[in-house]
Amino acid sequence: MGVIAFRWFNLDIELPELPNIRRWYAQVTARPAFQKYCAAPLN
């Protein structure tokens, strides 16, 4: 789910507020393993 959220949050579109999902996403993306293996550039 983190990879899907990463792509969704990095699209150049207007996103709804969803504060709980943003909080969860911030926690997931702060993990070193996520940064190393999942946060690849989208270009």
Side-chain angles (χ1 to χ4, degrees):
M1 289 304 299
V3 174
I4 294 169
F6 176 77
R7 289 177 181 240
W8 187 64
F9 276 110
N10 286 285
L11 291 174
D12 190 23
I13 59 173
E14 186 176 336
L15 300 172
E17 280 304 311
L18 307 173
N20 290 331
I21 293 177
R22 288 189 182 272
R23 178 187 45 78
W24 168 82
Y25 179 69
Q27 292 173 341
V28 169
T29 57
R31 297 176 181 171
F34 184 89
Q35 293 171 6
K36 184 174 181 179
Y37 298 108
C38 300
L42 297 178
N43 18 6

